[in-house]
Amino acid sequence: MTWKKFNGEVVQSSILEEVEKAIIRESENGFHLKVCIGTDSQVKGPSTDFATVIVLLREHHGGFMYIHQEKTTQKMSIKERMLVEVQKSIETAYSVCDLLDLYDVDLEVHADINTSPMFKSNKALNEAMGYILSMGFIFKAKPEAFASSTCADKMVH
């Protein structure tokens, strides 16, 4: 899996090593961190672009992120696509959660799903929330899900 920094630079080491180095560096600089993970997607003709982000927030001092992007030509309904987004976020959260526990860093999984029934993505809300919570992660949906609805969104639009 290829991860990049926001500036496009490819992360050469494993994402785990990269996140650990960042946690150590930011902690040494006196920052308290929280990690938010989210995925967004965009259908572009026959393909769907997915972007998953790991956002490291420095309490009251901004943050930075790592991005993984992939494409698929698999046809899917909006509900399927929302749940694939959630699955990608959970897989990423699962891969870093032991490391975050080790350094006592809070983790949230953000779903790009609207809590208002007026929106199509709302169809996947209950399943997504159940999926994330049953994995033991803290769940945020729109409007609080900025990792997916703002950070990842910028990468697919």
Side-chain angles (χ1 to χ4, degrees), residues 1-138:
M1 238 182 167
T2 304
W3 287 87
K4 293 180 180 175
K5 295 179 180 179
F6 189 63
N7 65 6
E9 181 189 330
V10 174
V11 173
Q12 298 299 332
S13 56
S14 77
I15 192 62
L16 262 183
E17 286 175 52
E18 185 70 22
V19 169
E20 184 170 32
K21 280 191 287 194
I23 291 170
I24 292 167
R25 180 187 68 237
E26 297 300 325
S27 298
E28 285 173 353
N29 288 330
F31 294 113
H32 179 73
L33 292 175
K34 174 164 80 173
V35 170
C36 303
I37 294 173
T39 302
D40 194 16
S41 61
Q42 178 75 29
V43 178
K44 294 179 179 173
S47 66
T48 304
D49 292 351
F50 286 93
T52 301
V53 296
I54 300 173
V55 182
L56 284 85
L57 285 181
R58 300 178 193 105
E59 198 170 32
H60 309 299
H61 287 91
F64 54 97
M65 67 179 175
Y66 301 99
I67 304 119
H68 170 70
Q69 291 180 278
E70 57 191 296
K71 273 186 197 314
T72 182
T73 53
Q74 186 183 335
K75 292 259 178 273
M76 50 186 105
S77 68
I78 181 120
K79 185 173 180 179
E80 283 176 301
R81 193 162 53 95
M82 297 296 108
L83 293 173
V84 169
E85 288 178 9
V86 169
Q87 179 187 354
K88 290 179 182 304
S89 295
I90 286 176
E91 285 170 2
T92 302
Y94 195 73
S95 72
V96 299
C97 66
D98 288 346
L99 176 69
L100 300 181
D101 285 349
L102 185 67
Y103 288 96
D104 200 27
V105 175
D106 290 337
L107 170 64
E108 294 178 357
V109 176
H110 292 190
D112 189 34
I113 296 175
N114 211 298
T115 49
S116 167
M118 288 171 28
F119 294 87
K120 287 182 190 164
S121 68
N122 182 261
K123 290 185 182 124
L125 181 65
N126 289 340
E127 287 94 330
M129 192 161 64
Y131 190 6
I132 293 168
L133 294 174
S134 70
M135 293 296 290
F137 298 123
I138 294 169

